[in-house]
Amino acid sequence: MDHSMYVFASNGVPQESKLATYMNRQNTSTPVATNTITQSFAKVTLGSPVNSKKVTPQSPEFVPSARINTTNSSASPNFFNSFPGLSGTTTGPGYQRTVAESPHSGTISPHLTPQPSPPLTANNCSPIPHVPIEKPAVTVAAYQENVGGTTYFYPTSAENSVTTNDTLSSVNSSVGSSYQVYPGTPSHVTALKSKTGSSSFFIAEDTRMDILNRNALTLLQPDPGQFPDLPQDVDNYHELCPLEPIPTNSLQKALIGYQASMYKATHIKTGTRHCLRRIHGFRLQNTKCMTYVDMWKKLIHSNIVQLKEVFTTKAFGDNSMVFVYDFHPGSETLLTKHFASDSMNGYVDPFATDPSAPRPYSHHKNSILRHQQNNKLPEALIWNYIIQLTSALRIIHVAGLACRSLDPTKIIITVGNRLRLSCLGVMDVIINDTSTASNPVGLIQHYQQEDLTSLGKLVLALACKSTMAVQRENISTAVEVVTRTYTTDLRNLIMYLLSPQQRRSVTDLMPMIGARFYTQLDSVQTRTDVLENEVSKEMENGRLFRLLVKLGSINERPEFNMDGTWSETGDRYMLKLFRDYVFHQVTEDGRPWLDMAHVVQCLNKLDTGVPEKVCLMSRDEQSILVVSYAELKHCLEQSYDEVLNASAPTDNVT
Ligand SMILES: Nc1ncnc2c1ncn2[C@@H]1O[C@H](COP(=O)(O)OP(=O)(O)OP(=O)(O)O)[C@@H](O)[C@H]1O
């Protein structure tokens, strides 16, 4: 390398070099500091790398004959680890060096020399950074010294001198809190995960797909050409999107006895999506029923679609009553899920056989049994549903309310077999008898009993996989089919619910469910464990993302406060070189060196601000900066704050 090409400033830094620019901006104070780096440092022979992978810098001028010794667990060289005589306690955690002349046969820049990938454990954890045991430095003001033609730059802050006591206290305080890293899948989740597929640092594929699907459905907008009659706004809601074909025939009545339609809509002020159940052509006669609406609005439960508000509107061109609920994307009704007609999934309802067919009843019964056995739902699933539905009913009845719409069309199901009652409060408003009755409590108790009968019918229908099974003429056959196919417990539960003589209660069902509660609890908690692990991965990813946002907002910013060189100078210059170090390293033959573990480890160290050093080389290869992650973190925070503060709108001064 021909050094005569460069003009050296008094501090030994080539004036054209980026470091000179950096130093001009940065080194405003006259540093006075002691250090223990002496002449001998320049003569230190660098140890051989642990890495056996041979990579060389892009520029042959800087090909070292020996390389900085790196620790096994670190991608970036730690000078003080490599040279015991240069312990961080006496020299401070960071310095910068400009190579004016190679004092020894060569030195190395990690910018140009990919290091071995940080080790991963078998447990899929993030690369573990070097645990910091020193106080992170927070200064970059530099002191310089020319040693045999090489200028070294050291930080000057008193904070950089770390005493043994400091170190120990930092060790203590660092335990469990000094750095963040994904520790890998917990062993209790590993066993579960092996059933579901390989683990990764990102969210599991099935969960990802579920969430993507739900997000897409939440954002779905209808083609205005297809729904020209949709109003723009309905009360506080807009962006209406029908969830089912809008009934056109006035004879097409929903379960509630009126024409009804469902829409997804966005709240104008909050932007949240809701589900609007519109009852067509309905005029509210008196407002007493609103007491029930208020009671429903207060009911929150994981198996209930919460009622948010009720209003009347003429936005649809008629007098409509609208019930606003939470929106649960990707819902389907229990009817479509389990009782779909053969046009949907080839399923033929065995109870729907033409009664006029010349077939003996016994033959018919056997064919029902055969059919049911081929299509039957697993008993565990039926109990799962029973537990969820009784759980919702219990809270409703305890609140002094009745569901009054426990029907397969009014129970929605989402991923993971989660059931929710979806039409609560409607009956209390539409059939306004509870508020006008002389004994509303007695009436509610009557409806609660009806809820239990409806539950019995629903379970029977599920067990026979047919809604026809609950028709009066089919019930005895259906119960017989259940007796032959499922456990006595299930049969007893159905019989209890369908027996009109006694006064029944949801709590009486609990002993029948028995230990199945524990099975359900176990599966819910297991799922929570798995999802919590997904969250912990995404928490780490989110943290790194925020860090990248900060870096990205600073790196290569073309202009800041009228300063076109802002991102190339001062603190930002170090961050730019760090970015190169993290992302732009190349192999010996010039190929991009991509190593996710290296990237994650570097970012984790930056986020934590560990005192470990990293060598950064300028793009013109004229300077090497050796800085600690602590300093880089400080630079990042300071520079980002500058950008953030400048982004705030300034008041017009008149
Ligand atoms: N809260 C909700 N969030 C998201 N989708 C819902 C919600 N409630 C219902 N749905 C969906 O809206 C659609 C229509 O529901 P609805 O209750 O009207 O069922 P239905 O079978 O059309 O009953 P009916 O014949 O009585 O109108 C169904 O696909 C259902 O999954």
Side-chain angles (χ1 to χ4, degrees):
M1 179 177 168
D2 183 6
H3 295 293
S4 62
M5 287 169 62
Y6 299 99
V7 180
F8 287 87
S10 57
N11 60 9
V13 180
Q15 278 175 347
E16 297 84 347
S17 78
K18 302 274 180 155
L19 182 60
T21 326
Y22 167 72
M23 294 305 299
N24 289 340
R25 297 269 174 149
Q26 193 61 41
N27 201 11
T28 47
S29 61
T30 310
V32 181
T34 57
N35 67 84
T36 59
I37 298 182
T38 60
Q39 292 269 359
S40 61
F41 175 59
K43 293 176 187 139
V44 169
T45 306
L46 302 174
S48 307
V50 171
N51 183 12
S52 58
K53 184 171 153 190
K54 189 163 182 292
V55 282
T56 55
Q58 281 169 304
S59 162
E61 293 153 316
F62 282 84
V63 173
S65 59
R67 294 195 176 125
I68 291 169
N69 198 5
T70 58
T71 61
N72 248 345
S73 63
S74 170
S76 50
N78 183 332
F79 264 49
F80 299 133
N81 280 353
S82 305
F83 310 113
L86 303 175
S87 90
T89 54
T90 50
T91 58
Y95 59 92
Q96 304 133 14
R97 189 184 71 168
T98 295
V99 177
E101 174 187 1
S102 185
H104 35 77
S105 56
T107 185
I108 187 156
S109 163
H111 168 66
L112 299 172
T113 308
Q115 301 297 314
S117 181
L120 291 179
T121 68
N123 195 25
N124 194 37
C125 71
S126 291
I128 309 289
H130 175 70
V131 181
I133 56 166
E134 300 163 60
K135 244 186 210 170
V138 288
T139 178
V140 288
Y143 163 76
Q144 64 191 51
E145 185 175 313
N146 195 294
V147 180
T150 301
T151 307
Y152 299 95
F153 299 92
Y154 316 106
T156 58
S157 165
E159 289 184 54
N160 291 317
S161 83
V162 182
T163 66
T164 311
N165 281 345
D166 284 344
T167 309
L168 283 177
S169 62
S170 324
V171 170
N172 290 336
S173 66
S174 76
V175 172
S177 64
S178 294
Y179 65 91
Q180 297 174 48
V181 68
Y182 174 58
T185 312
S187 58
H188 66 283
V189 179
T190 313
L192 302 167
K193 290 230 114 193
S194 60
K195 288 184 204 154
T196 55
S198 62
S199 48
S200 102
F201 290 115
F202 299 98
I203 195 162
E205 193 55 19
D206 51 348
T207 312
R208 194 175 74 88
M209 292 312 291
D210 285 344
I211 293 172
L212 281 181
N213 184 37
R214 267 182 275 163
N215 290 351
L217 290 169
T218 304
L219 297 170
L220 199 71
Q221 283 303 309
D223 174 3
Q226 273 196 331
F227 301 98
D229 299 334
L230 269 187
Q232 288 285 314
D233 298 333
V234 176
D235 204 70
N236 277 325
Y237 299 87
H238 68 153
E239 296 179 342
L240 265 64
C241 177
L243 294 175
E244 58 179 347
I246 298 167
T248 45
N249 183 346
S250 59
L251 296 174
Q252 219 180 323
K253 302 258 166 73
L255 177 85
I256 47 182
Y258 284 85
Q259 265 192 323
S261 46
M262 298 285 281
Y263 307 83
K264 170 177 80 75
T266 309
H267 193 279
I268 288 170
K269 287 181 191 146
T270 64
T272 45
R273 272 73 185 194
H274 291 277
C275 190
L276 309 188
R277 187 181 291 277
R278 169 191 164 207
I279 315 297
H280 301 218
F282 179 81
R283 272 177 195 275
L284 189 64
Q285 299 303 329
N286 73 60
T287 53
K288 275 192 186 169
C289 57
M290 286 303 160
T291 320
Y292 285 93
V293 169
D294 289 338
M295 288 167 79
W296 281 114
K297 277 162 54 178
K298 287 185 195 132
L299 218 59
I300 300 174
H301 188 268
S302 56
N303 298 114
I304 278 178
V305 182
Q306 199 193 353
L307 179 64
K308 296 290 181 184
E309 61 171 321
V310 180
F311 59 85
T312 53
T313 180
K314 291 190 175 171
F316 293 97
D318 67 348
N319 291 304
S320 285
M321 183 108 202
V322 176
F323 293 77
V324 182
Y325 294 94
D326 284 332
F327 176 64
H328 295 283
S331 306
E332 60 178 326
T333 65
L334 211 55
L335 186 82
T336 52
K337 172 96 179 174
H338 292 302
F339 305 104
S341 69
D342 46 352
S343 62
M344 293 184 78
N345 64 359
Y347 171 71
V348 181
D349 192 332
F351 288 89
T353 316
D354 181 1
S356 61
R359 191 177 264 179
Y361 180 64
S362 61
H363 185 180
H364 179 200
K365 194 160 63 182
N366 286 340
S367 72
I368 289 172
L369 184 62
R370 220 178 14 254
H371 188 96
Q372 186 267 358
Q373 279 173 338
N374 291 339
N375 294 280
K376 73 170 191 169
L377 293 179
E379 182 161 344
L381 181 65
I382 299 179
W383 283 110
N384 177 343
Y385 289 167
I386 291 169
I387 291 170
Q388 295 187 62
L389 294 172
T390 50
S391 183
L393 277 187
R394 194 182 76 86
I395 194 114
I396 291 170
H397 291 184
V398 166
L401 293 163
C403 170
R404 302 177 72 184
S405 56
L406 201 69
D407 180 270
T409 62
K410 297 294 167 272
I411 299 168
I412 55 171
I413 183 162
T414 44
V415 173
N417 291 324
R418 167 72 74 82
L419 296 188
R420 288 185 179 90
L421 306 183
S422 75
C423 188
L424 299 175
V426 175
M427 291 309 216
D428 295 326
V429 175
I430 303 291
I431 306 169
N432 193 358
D433 49 0
T434 39
S435 51
T436 51
S438 54
N439 177 12
V441 175
L443 200 59
I444 285 290
Q445 283 173 353
H446 165 75
Y447 287 133
Q448 289 176 350
Q449 291 298 304
E450 282 195 349
D451 282 349
L452 294 170
T453 308
S454 302
L455 179 65
K457 288 182 178 171
L458 184 68
V459 176
L460 184 63
L462 285 166
C464 295
K465 273 215 94 179
S466 166
T467 50
M468 308 272 285
V470 302
Q471 289 183 357
R472 191 182 293 273
E473 66 275 15
N474 291 333
I475 282 194
S476 62
T477 311
V479 170
E480 209 173 307
V481 168
V482 173
T483 309
R484 291 203 203 184
T485 327
Y486 292 104
T487 58
T488 323
D489 281 352
L490 191 64
R491 181 189 173 278
N492 289 346
L493 181 125
I494 294 170
M495 294 308 288
Y496 172 82
L497 289 170
L498 294 182
S499 59
Q501 289 83 11
Q502 54 187 319
R503 185 169 177 76
R504 295 148 297 155
S505 150
V506 187
T507 44
D508 291 345
L509 298 174
M510 289 179 185
M512 297 184 206
I513 296 167
R516 293 176 189 95
F517 272 118
Y518 297 117
T519 314
Q520 184 93 340
L521 189 64
D522 176 50
S523 75
V524 170
Q525 289 183 158
T526 302
R527 180 153 172 78
T528 310
D529 284 347
V530 172
L531 291 179
E532 203 170 88
N533 182 50
E534 299 303 313
V535 171
S536 75
K537 284 190 281 185
E538 292 311 318
M539 186 190 81
E540 292 300 318
N541 291 338
R543 182 171 60 78
L544 295 183
F545 168 75
R546 285 200 293 275
L547 202 59
L548 289 175
V549 167
K550 287 183 179 179
L551 272 175
S553 308
I554 298 161
N555 290 152
E556 310 290 347
R557 179 169 281 278
E559 186 272 338
F560 179 75
N561 279 348
M562 315 277 282
D563 180 358
T565 61
W566 181 80
S567 65
E568 298 284 323
T569 52
D571 290 354
R572 285 77 55 191
Y573 181 56
M574 280 209 283
L575 296 173
K576 173 182 165 168
L577 298 192
F578 178 71
R579 192 263 316 267
D580 284 349
Y581 170 76
V582 177
F583 298 105
H584 298 160
Q585 296 199 41
V586 292
T587 60
E588 186 177 336
D589 51 354
R591 285 176 294 117
W593 183 68
L594 299 179
D595 187 331
M596 190 78 148
H598 164 74
V599 171
V600 172
Q601 189 185 55
C602 290
L603 292 177
N604 278 343
K605 286 176 180 175
L606 174 67
D607 195 27
T608 309
V610 296
E612 185 182 319
K613 311 295 180 302
V614 56
C615 277
L616 308 173
M617 179 175 272
S618 64
R619 283 185 179 175
D620 63 7
E621 297 175 349
Q622 297 308 298
S623 2
I624 294 174
L625 305 179
V626 183
V627 291
S628 70
Y629 281 97
E631 290 163 323
L632 284 167
K633 179 184 163 102
H634 176 69
C635 295
L636 180 72
E637 297 299 338
Q638 211 165 43
S639 305
Y640 186 70
D641 280 352
E642 267 186 70
V643 177
L644 196 66
N645 293 337
S647 73
T650 47
D651 293 337
N652 283 338
V653 181
T654 52

